[in-house]
Amino acid sequence: MQSLDIPPPVHSAGAADTPLARLFGLLEAVAGRDQPFTLQSMAVELGLPKPTVHRMLAQLEQAALLQRQGDARHYAAGLRLRRLAEQIMLNDSFNGARRMVLRSVVQELGESCNITALAGSEVVYLDRVETAAPLRFYLHPGSRVPVHCSASGKLMLAQMKPAQRRRLLDHVPLDAYTGATITEPAVLERELDQVREQGYALDREEFLPGLLCVAVAVPAEPGRLSNLCVAVQAPVMRLSPERAPQVLPALRRAAEALARIEADAMPRAHRA
């Protein structure tokens, strides 16, 4: 099976090199291990000095997030960390429901489907279900795409007021990622006019060569702008711009289902 694997972005050390980020990175490393580890092995994996890792391990052990093994040299996930993971899985009906919506689209259309949101000047993948087709573009949840060259980004730009959109785009370089990327502000504005008129947006190989994306917005509460989109992605050999409207009924049903899930979860979030 052939796939094009697009890894999640690597943030610069300066942006993430904080005590909290280091502790979280250590916990991520622990979660990825299936056996206890030593101070030395964790220091090597994280690329941090042993004294620094030793302090971090002591903090996490004191908080019961890690526990030391019988030989006093090896560490593993502590009771509190395991309970935290169990509670997340037990109570994650919200994300489970959203994922089932994505799976239904993938089953119906045979192509990858994702949920996205606007984060600053980028579109972030909140969740994604991959197709089983031999050729696919694998974008991980957490991946980020520039707002001007993604279908979801265009939808979110199109719903903004002109002043809000200019304020964002004035500080975002319209870099070219492929020969099809829109890099001229006037051309992008015309594209956004079309998006508003037709109610959906396309990425015609504008971020990755050979990849076409169709996106629709998830309806928001009356008077509010949507910050969620649901989109289908496929190689252009299977989904051309001319065939893109054929996937809209499935996408719009998914968008309505996601809107109901969001509305159902909102009262619980307010009560919390």
Side-chain angles (χ1 to χ4, degrees), residues 215-229:
V216 300
V218 174
E221 295 177 354
R224 298 186 60 182
L225 298 180
S226 173
N227 194 39
L228 283 179
C229 292

Side-chain angles (χ1 to χ4, degrees), residues 45-137:
E45 180 171 343
L46 297 178
L48 294 173
K50 287 177 63 175
T52 299
V53 176
H54 183 269
R55 288 194 299 271
M56 294 163 63
L57 292 174
Q59 288 178 278
L60 294 172
E61 184 182 7
Q62 185 178 9
L65 293 168
L66 296 181
Q67 66 182 25
R68 209 178 304 211
Q69 302 298 288
D71 63 1
R73 294 183 58 251
H74 287 80
Y75 296 81
L79 178 61
R80 190 176 177 190
L81 182 59
R82 292 197 300 271
R83 284 179 174 171
L84 176 65
E86 291 167 0
Q87 287 298 315
I88 289 174
M89 298 300 292
L90 180 64
N91 296 315
D92 197 21
S93 61
F94 173 70
N95 286 317
R98 295 203 309 190
R99 176 157 279 255
M100 289 306 298
V101 172
L102 296 185
R103 285 179 178 168
S104 68
V105 176
V106 174
Q107 185 175 13
E108 179 177 352
L109 299 179
E111 301 295 350
S112 299
C113 186
N114 52 257
I115 301 174
T116 58
L118 183 65
S121 62
E122 297 175 308
V123 170
V124 62
Y125 285 67
L126 300 181
D127 201 358
R128 180 175 171 89
V129 173
E130 296 290 339
T131 176
L135 178 63
R136 61 183 183 266
F137 293 79

Side-chain angles (χ1 to χ4, degrees), residues 241-264:
E242 292 72 29
R243 291 187 54 234
Q246 297 176 16
V247 309
L248 289 177
L251 275 181
R252 286 173 173 151
R253 286 195 300 272
E256 292 292 342
L258 291 169
R260 289 193 295 271
I261 293 170
E262 294 287 323
D264 180 59

Side-chain angles (χ1 to χ4, degrees), residues 19 44 63 116 120 184-185 200 245:
V44 171
T116 58
E184 295 294 330
Y200 67 93

